[in-house]
Amino acid sequence: IGLISAFFVFDGRSMQVEFHPDEIVSIPGGRIAILHSEYYTEHIERLVKTCVATLERSGCELPKVFSAPGCVELPLCARRILRMEPAY
């Protein structure tokens, strides 16, 4: 497995980082959401499965997985996810 690119929102600030899967640490009480578009499902499904398996191996809480119809809707869906209760 190569580097993972991730987009995080923490305390109202967003950032994008790249890291190796072996560098993932458990964050007690943290919740993770995965948001993806519905295009290229053969690739997306493999990426989501790998991400979930990596998080599970690291002891993190399993993520909630969301999908958007396309890339244009991703920001709107991300905003909706961030407004959910419990917050993500």
Side-chain angles (χ1 to χ4, degrees), residues 32-36 47-48 51-52 55 63-67 81 88:
I32 298 172
I34 297 173
L35 173 61
H36 64 83
L47 289 169
V48 169
C51 184
V52 170
L55 291 167
K64 178 103 173 153
V65 179
F66 300 91
S67 65
I81 292 168
Y88 277 89

Side-chain angles (χ1 to χ4, degrees), residues 25-43:
V25 296
S26 180
I27 303 171
R31 286 184 295 280
I32 298 172
I34 297 173
L35 173 61
H36 64 83
S37 71
E38 295 175 356
Y39 286 95
Y40 303 108
T41 56
E42 65 277 5
H43 302 294

